[in-house]
Amino acid sequence: MLILLPPSEGKADAGTGRRLDLARLSLPELTGAREEVLTALVALSADGDEEAARAALGLSEGQRGELRRNARLRAAATAPAARVYTGVLYEALDLASLPATAQRAARRSVLISSGLWGAVRLTDRIPPYRCPIGARLPGIGALSAYWRRALAPAMAAAAGDGPVLDLRSGAYAATWAPRDEVAERTVTVRVLHEREVDGVPVRSVVSHFNKATKGRLVRDLLTAGARPRTVDGLLTALRDLKYPVLEQPGVAGRPRQVDVVVTEL
């Protein structure tokens, strides 16, 4: 099973280990593309036109420190991606507290999308950075379009022949859309909050707590030792874990879409 996660806006303040070595990251076929994006990001962040750099990266005036950090990425200390990403989803996943067997499964199965790296595994050592997928970099253009061209072969290979649980947010999901038979064994998840309004159940899409639910969902699958070989097996595993799963009408050649309904956030 391959589990696809979005990155987090929140990052650790600093790394603790060796400097970045692109050649040691997972999915080595992306090394050339990562080098291009890294070079463009460092140049943009260091060229002195702070206003243009902040605009390209969607940063506020109070976030100018992110530019200084980006400018030093090649010399910065790194940490495993599992510790660099610190947002709501990763807090709910709480990888460090998982049993050893579940941690090993996470290292095998989880890929994190990234505007800078394309995709990384939890153990890949990266420095904290700021490079949202919505950024436009000199010589690169829109990152979403750039990675859409670069990622397809690597992601299809990473998917192997098992099910794919795609928990990425929309902007990151646009960087790789599974095709053909890979799409048919891919599941995308929407989280709905159900509550009663005037005695009538009402369901609505949640945002912040969507991330927490997805983090808990992955944690529960890993802790349970779930190793589904098919999409139906994956949905059964979720239901066995007491997640109310409602499948939407399918479209041939497209990922299967399910809603996970929660009553508590």
Side-chain angles (χ1 to χ4, degrees):
M1 176 173 59
L2 177 66
I3 301 173
L4 303 179
L5 299 181
S8 63
E9 289 297 321
K11 309 284 194 309
D13 290 333
T16 56
R18 61 175 180 266
R19 293 182 179 182
L20 175 67
D21 183 352
L22 291 178
R24 300 182 73 162
L25 298 183
S26 301
L27 308 183
E29 57 267 57
L30 297 179
T31 300
R34 289 165 174 155
E35 177 62 38
E36 287 187 355
V37 177
L38 178 63
T39 297
L41 178 64
V42 170
L44 173 69
S45 300
D47 77 353
D49 189 345
E50 180 186 299
E51 186 174 351
R54 285 196 291 106
L57 298 175
L59 301 178
S60 68
E61 186 174 352
Q63 293 175 307
R64 60 169 60 95
E66 299 285 355
L67 296 179
R68 293 192 292 271
R69 179 157 70 174
N70 281 350
R72 299 192 296 265
L73 282 175
R74 291 189 183 277
T78 62
R83 294 212 299 267
V84 170
Y85 297 112
T86 60
V88 173
L89 188 154
Y90 294 92
E91 291 172 358
L93 175 56
D94 194 10
L95 185 73
S97 70
L98 287 174
T101 53
Q103 291 193 33
R104 288 195 293 272
R107 291 193 287 268
R108 289 193 305 268
S109 60
V110 173
L111 274 179
I112 304 169
S113 291
S114 168
L116 176 52
W117 318 113
V120 292
R121 295 201 183 275
L122 292 165
T123 52
D124 283 331
R125 297 194 67 93
I126 56 174
Y129 64 97
R130 186 61 175 255
C131 186
I133 195 63
R136 298 184 64 90
L137 301 182
I140 296 291
L143 283 175
S144 56
Y146 179 88
W147 284 117
R148 195 155 48 243
R149 294 188 296 270
L151 274 173
M155 296 297 284
D161 58 3
V164 179
L165 178 59
D166 189 351
L167 301 177
R168 297 173 298 168
S169 53
Y172 287 95
T175 63
W176 178 61
R179 303 292 184 193
D180 304 322
E181 60 90 18
V182 180
E184 293 176 356
R185 48 188 170 85
T186 297
V187 176
T188 63
V189 174
R190 180 176 65 166
V191 178
L192 298 181
H193 178 213
E194 183 175 276
R195 65 194 191 283
E196 278 199 6
V197 178
D198 297 328
V200 178
V202 174
R203 292 171 180 168
S204 58
V205 177
V206 295
S207 54
H208 178 82
F209 292 103
N210 161 63
K211 298 175 183 177
T213 298
K214 289 179 177 178
R216 289 193 291 268
L217 184 152
V218 173
R219 180 183 178 85
D220 289 344
L221 282 171
L222 295 170
T223 302
R227 300 185 68 176
R229 297 182 179 275
T230 64
V231 168
D232 288 335
L234 171 57
L235 299 184
T236 296
L238 290 174
R239 292 183 175 115
D240 287 346
L241 290 166
K242 309 306 180 187
Y243 284 95
V245 175
L246 305 176
E247 186 165 2
Q248 300 303 308
V251 178
R254 300 286 298 276
R256 291 167 67 172
Q257 300 178 355
V258 303
D259 291 335
V260 171
V261 182
V262 297
T263 57
E264 296 181 1
L265 298 175

mmCIF file of all heavy atoms in Angstrom, residues 92 189-191 210 212-222 224 234-246 258-264:
data_model
loop_
_atom_site.group_PDB
_atom_site.id
_atom_site.type_symbol
_atom_site.label_atom_id
_atom_site.label_comp_id
_atom_site.label_asym_id
_atom_site.label_seq_id
_atom_site.Cartn_x
_atom_site.Cartn_y
_atom_site.Cartn_z
ATOM 1 N N ALA A 92 -1.273 14.564 14.651
ATOM 2 C CA ALA A 92 -2.236 13.474 14.863
ATOM 3 C C ALA A 92 -1.616 12.118 14.534
ATOM 4 O O ALA A 92 -1.883 11.120 15.205
ATOM 5 C CB ALA A 92 -3.485 13.706 14.020
ATOM 6 N N VAL A 189 -9.903 10.510 -0.285
ATOM 7 C CA VAL A 189 -10.743 10.595 0.913
ATOM 8 C C VAL A 189 -11.163 12.034 1.172
ATOM 9 O O VAL A 189 -10.332 12.948 1.161
ATOM 10 C CB VAL A 189 -9.996 10.047 2.143
ATOM 11 C CG1 VAL A 189 -10.813 10.266 3.421
ATOM 12 C CG2 VAL A 189 -9.691 8.562 1.965
ATOM 13 N N ARG A 190 -12.444 12.214 1.396
ATOM 14 C CA ARG A 190 -12.992 13.489 1.861
ATOM 15 C C ARG A 190 -13.546 13.268 3.266
ATOM 16 O O ARG A 190 -14.223 12.262 3.518
ATOM 17 C CB ARG A 190 -14.083 13.983 0.919
ATOM 18 C CG ARG A 190 -14.697 15.302 1.333
ATOM 19 C CD ARG A 190 -15.705 15.804 0.301
ATOM 20 N NE ARG A 190 -16.863 14.917 0.198
ATOM 21 C CZ ARG A 190 -17.991 15.261 -0.419
ATOM 22 N NH1 ARG A 190 -18.086 16.443 -1.014
ATOM 23 N NH2 ARG A 190 -19.004 14.405 -0.476
ATOM 24 N N VAL A 191 -13.263 14.181 4.182
ATOM 25 C CA VAL A 191 -13.762 14.053 5.554
ATOM 26 C C VAL A 191 -14.983 14.945 5.718
ATOM 27 O O VAL A 191 -14.942 16.146 5.420
ATOM 28 C CB VAL A 191 -12.680 14.444 6.572
ATOM 29 C CG1 VAL A 191 -13.236 14.347 8.000
ATOM 30 C CG2 VAL A 191 -11.459 13.534 6.426
ATOM 31 N N ASN A 210 -10.072 18.171 9.043
ATOM 32 C CA ASN A 210 -9.843 17.199 7.985
ATOM 33 C C ASN A 210 -8.435 16.633 8.107
ATOM 34 O O ASN A 210 -8.212 15.427 7.986
ATOM 35 C CB ASN A 210 -10.057 17.901 6.644
ATOM 36 C CG ASN A 210 -9.437 17.172 5.478
ATOM 37 O OD1 ASN A 210 -9.822 16.066 5.179
ATOM 38 N ND2 ASN A 210 -8.480 17.805 4.828
ATOM 39 N N ALA A 212 -6.488 16.547 10.813
ATOM 40 C CA ALA A 212 -6.342 15.730 12.022
ATOM 41 C C ALA A 212 -6.962 14.350 11.820
ATOM 42 O O ALA A 212 -6.382 13.335 12.222
ATOM 43 C CB ALA A 212 -6.994 16.439 13.206
ATOM 44 N N THR A 213 -8.120 14.307 11.175
ATOM 45 C CA THR A 213 -8.771 13.018 10.928
ATOM 46 C C THR A 213 -7.912 12.139 10.033
ATOM 47 O O THR A 213 -7.757 10.932 10.270
ATOM 48 C CB THR A 213 -10.156 13.230 10.282
ATOM 49 O OG1 THR A 213 -10.983 13.970 11.194
ATOM 50 C CG2 THR A 213 -10.817 11.897 9.969
ATOM 51 N N LYS A 214 -7.329 12.730 8.997
ATOM 52 C CA LYS A 214 -6.472 11.948 8.105
ATOM 53 C C LYS A 214 -5.224 11.447 8.829
ATOM 54 O O LYS A 214 -4.778 10.324 8.601
ATOM 55 C CB LYS A 214 -6.096 12.785 6.882
ATOM 56 C CG LYS A 214 -7.267 13.002 5.934
ATOM 57 C CD LYS A 214 -6.895 13.856 4.735
ATOM 58 C CE LYS A 214 -8.076 13.989 3.775
ATOM 59 N NZ LYS A 214 -7.746 14.856 2.611
ATOM 60 N N GLY A 215 -4.677 12.263 9.720
ATOM 61 C CA GLY A 215 -3.534 11.804 10.497
ATOM 62 C C GLY A 215 -3.894 10.626 11.388
ATOM 63 O O GLY A 215 -3.150 9.641 11.475
ATOM 64 N N ARG A 216 -5.047 10.702 12.036
ATOM 65 C CA ARG A 216 -5.487 9.595 12.897
ATOM 66 C C ARG A 216 -5.788 8.353 12.067
ATOM 67 O O ARG A 216 -5.494 7.228 12.489
ATOM 68 C CB ARG A 216 -6.724 10.017 13.697
ATOM 69 C CG ARG A 216 -6.444 11.035 14.785
ATOM 70 C CD ARG A 216 -7.624 11.168 15.728
ATOM 71 N NE ARG A 216 -8.767 11.795 15.078
ATOM 72 C CZ ARG A 216 -9.018 13.101 15.083
ATOM 73 N NH1 ARG A 216 -8.182 13.927 15.704
ATOM 74 N NH2 ARG A 216 -10.091 13.587 14.486
ATOM 75 N N LEU A 217 -6.372 8.558 10.894
ATOM 76 C CA LEU A 217 -6.709 7.432 10.024
ATOM 77 C C LEU A 217 -5.451 6.653 9.637
ATOM 78 O O LEU A 217 -5.414 5.424 9.715
ATOM 79 C CB LEU A 217 -7.439 7.964 8.792
ATOM 80 C CG LEU A 217 -7.981 6.987 7.758
ATOM 81 C CD1 LEU A 217 -9.194 7.614 7.056
ATOM 82 C CD2 LEU A 217 -6.932 6.645 6.721
ATOM 83 N N VAL A 218 -4.411 7.384 9.230
ATOM 84 C CA VAL A 218 -3.155 6.718 8.860
ATOM 85 C C VAL A 218 -2.544 6.038 10.078
ATOM 86 O O VAL A 218 -2.061 4.900 9.997
ATOM 87 C CB VAL A 218 -2.171 7.723 8.245
ATOM 88 C CG1 VAL A 218 -0.806 7.084 8.010
ATOM 89 C CG2 VAL A 218 -2.716 8.267 6.927
ATOM 90 N N ARG A 219 -2.567 6.716 11.204
ATOM 91 C CA ARG A 219 -2.021 6.129 12.426
ATOM 92 C C ARG A 219 -2.725 4.824 12.758
ATOM 93 O O ARG A 219 -2.081 3.824 13.094
ATOM 94 C CB ARG A 219 -2.163 7.129 13.582
ATOM 95 C CG ARG A 219 -1.629 6.605 14.916
ATOM 96 C CD ARG A 219 -1.853 7.588 16.055
ATOM 97 N NE ARG A 219 -1.371 7.008 17.285
ATOM 98 C CZ ARG A 219 -0.113 7.059 17.702
ATOM 99 N NH1 ARG A 219 0.792 7.670 16.968
ATOM 100 N NH2 ARG A 219 0.261 6.499 18.838
ATOM 101 N N ASP A 220 -4.043 4.815 12.669
ATOM 102 C CA ASP A 220 -4.808 3.618 13.011
ATOM 103 C C ASP A 220 -4.511 2.474 12.039
ATOM 104 O O ASP A 220 -4.384 1.314 12.450
ATOM 105 C CB ASP A 220 -6.301 3.933 13.022
ATOM 106 C CG ASP A 220 -6.710 4.808 14.199
ATOM 107 O OD1 ASP A 220 -5.916 4.928 15.156
ATOM 108 O OD2 ASP A 220 -7.819 5.368 14.158
ATOM 109 N N LEU A 221 -4.407 2.778 10.750
ATOM 110 C CA LEU A 221 -4.073 1.735 9.782
ATOM 111 C C LEU A 221 -2.709 1.123 10.081
ATOM 112 O O LEU A 221 -2.534 -0.100 10.049
ATOM 113 C CB LEU A 221 -4.067 2.314 8.365
ATOM 114 C CG LEU A 221 -5.415 2.541 7.682
ATOM 115 C CD1 LEU A 221 -5.209 3.307 6.387
ATOM 116 C CD2 LEU A 221 -6.125 1.213 7.409
ATOM 117 N N LEU A 222 -1.729 1.982 10.367
ATOM 118 C CA LEU A 222 -0.382 1.507 10.638
ATOM 119 C C LEU A 222 -0.330 0.702 11.934
ATOM 120 O O LEU A 222 0.300 -0.353 12.003
ATOM 121 C CB LEU A 222 0.588 2.681 10.714
ATOM 122 C CG LEU A 222 0.804 3.477 9.416
ATOM 123 C CD1 LEU A 222 1.590 4.749 9.701
ATOM 124 C CD2 LEU A 222 1.531 2.628 8.383
ATOM 125 N N ALA A 224 -2.714 -0.935 13.335
ATOM 126 C CA ALA A 224 -3.439 -2.207 13.171
ATOM 127 C C ALA A 224 -2.672 -3.201 12.313
ATOM 128 O O ALA A 224 -3.069 -4.364 12.218
ATOM 129 C CB ALA A 224 -4.806 -1.940 12.552
ATOM 130 N N LEU A 234 -8.632 -2.302 1.394
ATOM 131 C CA LEU A 234 -8.339 -1.067 2.122
ATOM 132 C C LEU A 234 -9.613 -0.504 2.756
ATOM 133 O O LEU A 234 -9.612 -0.118 3.936
ATOM 134 C CB LEU A 234 -7.721 -0.046 1.167
ATOM 135 C CG LEU A 234 -7.531 1.375 1.701
ATOM 136 C CD1 LEU A 234 -6.680 1.385 2.960
ATOM 137 C CD2 LEU A 234 -6.916 2.261 0.617
ATOM 138 N N LEU A 235 -10.705 -0.476 2.002
ATOM 139 C CA LEU A 235 -11.961 0.040 2.548
ATOM 140 C C LEU A 235 -12.468 -0.842 3.685
ATOM 141 O O LEU A 235 -13.002 -0.341 4.680
ATOM 142 C CB LEU A 235 -13.005 0.153 1.435
ATOM 143 C CG LEU A 235 -12.647 1.104 0.289
ATOM 144 C CD1 LEU A 235 -13.797 1.198 -0.701
ATOM 145 C CD2 LEU A 235 -12.270 2.487 0.804
ATOM 146 N N THR A 236 -12.278 -2.139 3.545
ATOM 147 C CA THR A 236 -12.662 -3.048 4.625
ATOM 148 C C THR A 236 -11.836 -2.777 5.877
ATOM 149 O O THR A 236 -12.363 -2.775 6.997
ATOM 150 C CB THR A 236 -12.483 -4.513 4.182
ATOM 151 O OG1 THR A 236 -13.370 -4.786 3.104
ATOM 152 C CG2 THR A 236 -12.769 -5.472 5.329
ATOM 153 N N ALA A 237 -10.531 -2.527 5.692
ATOM 154 C CA ALA A 237 -9.669 -2.232 6.838
ATOM 155 C C ALA A 237 -10.129 -0.970 7.553
ATOM 156 O O ALA A 237 -10.138 -0.912 8.795
ATOM 157 C CB ALA A 237 -8.223 -2.084 6.373
ATOM 158 N N LEU A 238 -10.538 0.045 6.802
ATOM 159 C CA LEU A 238 -11.022 1.280 7.416
ATOM 160 C C LEU A 238 -12.311 1.039 8.189
ATOM 161 O O LEU A 238 -12.488 1.539 9.301
ATOM 162 C CB LEU A 238 -11.228 2.353 6.351
ATOM 163 C CG LEU A 238 -9.964 2.921 5.706
ATOM 164 C CD1 LEU A 238 -10.325 3.856 4.563
ATOM 165 C CD2 LEU A 238 -9.112 3.652 6.742
ATOM 166 N N ARG A 239 -13.196 0.265 7.606
ATOM 167 C CA ARG A 239 -14.457 -0.027 8.299
ATOM 168 C C ARG A 239 -14.214 -0.872 9.536
ATOM 169 O O ARG A 239 -14.878 -0.688 10.567
ATOM 170 C CB ARG A 239 -15.428 -0.713 7.336
ATOM 171 C CG ARG A 239 -15.910 0.222 6.220
ATOM 172 C CD ARG A 239 -16.923 -0.443 5.311
ATOM 173 N NE ARG A 239 -17.456 0.493 4.333
ATOM 174 C CZ ARG A 239 -17.265 0.400 3.013
ATOM 175 N NH1 ARG A 239 -16.557 -0.609 2.518
ATOM 176 N NH2 ARG A 239 -17.791 1.295 2.206
ATOM 177 N N ASP A 240 -13.260 -1.808 9.469
ATOM 178 C CA ASP A 240 -12.921 -2.611 10.640
ATOM 179 C C ASP A 240 -12.394 -1.735 11.778
ATOM 180 O O ASP A 240 -12.521 -2.086 12.962
ATOM 181 C CB ASP A 240 -11.876 -3.669 10.285
ATOM 182 C CG ASP A 240 -12.447 -4.806 9.443
ATOM 183 O OD1 ASP A 240 -13.690 -4.913 9.356
ATOM 184 O OD2 ASP A 240 -11.656 -5.573 8.860
ATOM 185 N N LEU A 241 -11.792 -0.597 11.403
ATOM 186 C CA LEU A 241 -11.284 0.349 12.401
ATOM 187 C C LEU A 241 -12.359 1.333 12.854
ATOM 188 O O LEU A 241 -12.068 2.315 13.530
ATOM 189 C CB LEU A 241 -10.080 1.104 11.835
ATOM 190 C CG LEU A 241 -8.818 0.260 11.644
ATOM 191 C CD1 LEU A 241 -7.795 0.995 10.779
ATOM 192 C CD2 LEU A 241 -8.210 -0.095 13.006
ATOM 193 N N LYS A 242 -13.605 1.071 12.449
ATOM 194 C CA LYS A 242 -14.786 1.839 12.872
ATOM 195 C C LYS A 242 -14.867 3.216 12.214
ATOM 196 O O LYS A 242 -15.503 4.127 12.760
ATOM 197 C CB LYS A 242 -14.835 1.990 14.404
ATOM 198 C CG LYS A 242 -14.691 0.676 15.169
ATOM 199 C CD LYS A 242 -15.715 -0.363 14.703
ATOM 200 C CE LYS A 242 -15.558 -1.675 15.476
ATOM 201 N NZ LYS A 242 -16.424 -2.755 14.932
ATOM 202 N N TYR A 243 -14.253 3.364 11.044
ATOM 203 C CA TYR A 243 -14.435 4.587 10.274
ATOM 204 C C TYR A 243 -15.657 4.406 9.369
ATOM 205 O O TYR A 243 -15.688 3.481 8.559
ATOM 206 C CB TYR A 243 -13.197 4.893 9.416
ATOM 207 C CG TYR A 243 -12.053 5.456 10.210
ATOM 208 C CD1 TYR A 243 -11.044 4.617 10.694
ATOM 209 C CD2 TYR A 243 -11.976 6.815 10.487
ATOM 210 C CE1 TYR A 243 -9.996 5.134 11.439
ATOM 211 C CE2 TYR A 243 -10.930 7.332 11.238
ATOM 212 C CZ TYR A 243 -9.940 6.489 11.705
ATOM 213 O OH TYR A 243 -8.899 7.000 12.444
ATOM 214 N N PRO A 244 -16.662 5.275 9.509
ATOM 215 C CA PRO A 244 -17.810 5.204 8.594
ATOM 216 C C PRO A 244 -17.371 5.652 7.200
ATOM 217 O O PRO A 244 -17.035 6.811 6.982
ATOM 218 C CB PRO A 244 -18.819 6.192 9.204
ATOM 219 C CG PRO A 244 -18.338 6.450 10.600
ATOM 220 C CD PRO A 244 -16.848 6.299 10.553
ATOM 221 N N VAL A 245 -17.352 4.738 6.257
ATOM 222 C CA VAL A 245 -16.854 5.000 4.910
ATOM 223 C C VAL A 245 -18.007 4.892 3.926
ATOM 224 O O VAL A 245 -18.673 3.859 3.841
ATOM 225 C CB VAL A 245 -15.744 4.003 4.527
ATOM 226 C CG1 VAL A 245 -15.320 4.191 3.080
ATOM 227 C CG2 VAL A 245 -14.547 4.172 5.459
ATOM 228 N N LEU A 246 -18.245 5.962 3.180
ATOM 229 C CA LEU A 246 -19.296 5.992 2.171
ATOM 230 C C LEU A 246 -18.651 6.202 0.812
ATOM 231 O O LEU A 246 -18.006 7.230 0.586
ATOM 232 C CB LEU A 246 -20.287 7.120 2.459
ATOM 233 C CG LEU A 246 -20.938 7.133 3.845
ATOM 234 C CD1 LEU A 246 -21.816 8.360 4.011
ATOM 235 C CD2 LEU A 246 -21.746 5.858 4.066
ATOM 236 N N VAL A 258 -14.140 8.287 -1.623
ATOM 237 C CA VAL A 258 -14.936 7.917 -0.442
ATOM 238 C C VAL A 258 -15.021 9.082 0.506
ATOM 239 O O VAL A 258 -14.146 9.966 0.560
ATOM 240 C CB VAL A 258 -14.337 6.686 0.283
ATOM 241 C CG1 VAL A 258 -14.219 5.493 -0.650
ATOM 242 C CG2 VAL A 258 -12.988 7.012 0.898
ATOM 243 N N ASP A 259 -16.110 9.106 1.257
ATOM 244 C CA ASP A 259 -16.296 10.058 2.344
ATOM 245 C C ASP A 259 -16.115 9.306 3.664
ATOM 246 O O ASP A 259 -16.668 8.217 3.843
ATOM 247 C CB ASP A 259 -17.690 10.677 2.315
ATOM 248 C CG ASP A 259 -17.892 11.598 1.127
ATOM 249 O OD1 ASP A 259 -16.893 12.125 0.609
ATOM 250 O OD2 ASP A 259 -19.064 11.770 0.719
ATOM 251 N N VAL A 260 -15.341 9.896 4.555
ATOM 252 C CA VAL A 260 -15.238 9.396 5.924
ATOM 253 C C VAL A 260 -16.028 10.365 6.798
ATOM 254 O O VAL A 260 -15.732 11.561 6.823
ATOM 255 C CB VAL A 260 -13.772 9.307 6.375
ATOM 256 C CG1 VAL A 260 -13.699 9.010 7.874
ATOM 257 C CG2 VAL A 260 -13.036 8.235 5.601
ATOM 258 N N VAL A 261 -17.054 9.849 7.470
ATOM 259 C CA VAL A 261 -17.959 10.692 8.234
ATOM 260 C C VAL A 261 -17.584 10.627 9.706
ATOM 261 O O VAL A 261 -17.464 9.533 10.283
ATOM 262 C CB VAL A 261 -19.423 10.234 8.041
ATOM 263 C CG1 VAL A 261 -20.366 11.161 8.812
ATOM 264 C CG2 VAL A 261 -19.788 10.225 6.563
ATOM 265 N N VAL A 262 -17.363 11.801 10.306
ATOM 266 C CA VAL A 262 -17.014 11.859 11.729
ATOM 267 C C VAL A 262 -18.048 12.703 12.457
ATOM 268 O O VAL A 262 -18.610 13.644 11.893
ATOM 269 C CB VAL A 262 -15.598 12.435 11.945
ATOM 270 C CG1 VAL A 262 -14.545 11.545 11.317
ATOM 271 C CG2 VAL A 262 -15.490 13.839 11.380
ATOM 272 N N THR A 263 -18.311 12.362 13.693
ATOM 273 C CA THR A 263 -19.251 13.137 14.515
ATOM 274 C C THR A 263 -18.522 13.977 15.549
ATOM 275 O O THR A 263 -19.115 14.874 16.146
ATOM 276 C CB THR A 263 -20.248 12.201 15.220
ATOM 277 O OG1 THR A 263 -19.517 11.246 16.001
ATOM 278 C CG2 THR A 263 -21.112 11.478 14.203
ATOM 279 N N GLU A 264 -17.238 13.686 15.776
ATOM 280 C CA GLU A 264 -16.427 14.466 16.718
ATOM 281 C C GLU A 264 -15.189 14.950 16.000
ATOM 282 O O GLU A 264 -14.606 14.223 15.178
ATOM 283 C CB GLU A 264 -16.032 13.632 17.923
ATOM 284 C CG GLU A 264 -17.213 13.174 18.767
ATOM 285 C CD GLU A 264 -16.778 12.374 19.973
ATOM 286 O OE1 GLU A 264 -15.537 12.200 20.149
ATOM 287 O OE2 GLU A 264 -17.631 11.922 20.743
#
